[in-house]
Amino acid sequence: MDNAGGAAVAIVLVVLIVFVIIVLVRSVRIIPQARAGVVERLGKYQRTLNPGLTILIPFVDRLLPLLDLREQVVSFPPQPVITEDNLVVSIDTVVYFQVTDPRAATYEIANYIQAVEQLTTTTLRNVVGGLNLEEALTSRDQINGQLRGVLDEATGRWGIRVSRVELKAIDPPHSIQDSMEKQMRAERDRRAAILTAEGTKQSSILTAEGQRQASILAAEGDAKAAILRADGEAQAIQKVFDAIHKGNPDQKLLAYQYLQTLPKLAEGSSNKLWIIPSEVGEALKGIGNALGGTNPDPQARGGLFDDVAAKQSGS
């Protein structure tokens, strides 16, 4: 009997210890940061647990699954949407939302993620259905703003705040994509042709401007060179003239220099006809006077003419 009684006591103690452990486990709860828990007492909402240590009444209070209070990102699969010009485009959406009221997110909606997805799809079809394809492709910010406004207003009573809605991709039909690529290629070719033509035009203008400047500079250089040459010749003539006047030449010297100059007039292969100036007689007369005779012999003058003619024929 003593052994049986001892065994019974031991079993009771073990049961009591297990019961105490179960009570402690069900009574003490630790809520992590950025999490929230909803407590039901006898099946009715009792309170919302914040992060930290909390005590529950065992077998009376029940803690529902914890809710994540951080901002969540959900990417929904592509949705076919018909635009205003009856084209079917596939649109991928990304929704950023956050649970702000754990009680409403638990009791106001059964599955808030699925609800956000369906609401996004219907709202997207309503918004894009009023736009044509070009507007849908170029008005992403406008579509995002409209989606965010509608979703935030509808999900507010669910304890959810939609912070952002982004269109990840808008894929038109393949035939439309080919047409758009051809249009973009033609536009690029047109811009390239315009740029090439403008470059050629600018090059021609710069070339013509350079040639004009070069011609102007060359003409100015020729003009300055001609002026300098003329100034040099004028100075040379002036010096010769001054030298002659300073030397005070007489009639005999001038006549002799005049006769020496005459053969040079016949030089050159292109001279076919040589006309003797009328001043030759005066020059010969001056030379004759210089030699001492007042009436120079005509044969002597003829000899001089013969020498000049001989030089002309030899040339």
Side-chain angles (χ1 to χ4, degrees), residues 51-66:
L53 179 65
T54 185
I55 302 298
L56 300 178
I57 300 176
F59 309 106
V60 176
D61 295 339
R62 184 170 72 92
L63 180 63
L64 299 181
L66 300 180

Side-chain angles (χ1 to χ4, degrees), residues 9 58 74 79 94 129 132 146 184-185 187 194 240 257 287:
V9 172
V74 179
Q79 299 293 330
V94 179
N132 56 36
Q146 294 182 5
M184 292 177 62
R185 190 180 302 110
E187 181 67 19
I194 292 175
V240 172
Q257 291 294 329
I287 293 174

Side-chain angles (χ1 to χ4, degrees), residues 5 15 37 67-68 71 73 78 82 92 118 144 181 196-197 242 295 302:
V15 171
L67 298 177
D68 194 343
E71 187 173 15
V73 181
I82 301 176
D92 296 348
Q118 297 301 322
N144 293 340
E181 290 178 358
T196 302
D242 293 340
N295 293 319

Side-chain angles (χ1 to χ4, degrees), residues 29 43 58 69 71 104 140 144 216 224 253 263:
R29 288 288 187 271
L69 300 181
E71 187 173 15
R140 290 196 176 191
N144 293 340
I216 292 174
K224 291 181 179 180
L253 179 60

Side-chain angles (χ1 to χ4, degrees), residues 183-224:
Q183 181 179 1
M184 292 177 62
R185 190 180 302 110
E187 181 67 19
R188 287 194 296 267
D189 294 340
R190 184 183 69 85
R191 292 180 180 178
I194 292 175
L195 292 177
T196 302
E198 290 181 354
T200 304
K201 176 183 175 182
Q202 289 294 114
S203 177
S204 301
I205 292 174
L206 293 177
T207 302
E209 183 67 20
Q211 293 177 353
R212 186 178 72 86
Q213 292 291 338
S215 300
I216 292 174
L217 293 176
E220 291 179 353
D222 294 340
K224 291 181 179 180

Side-chain angles (χ1 to χ4, degrees), residues 1 70 80 125 184 246 305:
M1 288 293 295
R70 295 172 296 179
R125 290 175 178 173
M184 292 177 62
K246 287 181 181 180
F305 289 138

Side-chain angles (χ1 to χ4, degrees), residues 263-274 311-315:
K264 294 182 179 180
L265 297 176
E267 293 179 356
S269 59
S270 61
N271 292 333
K272 301 301 182 182
L273 178 62
W274 183 40
K311 290 183 179 181
Q312 173 65 26
S313 60
S315 62

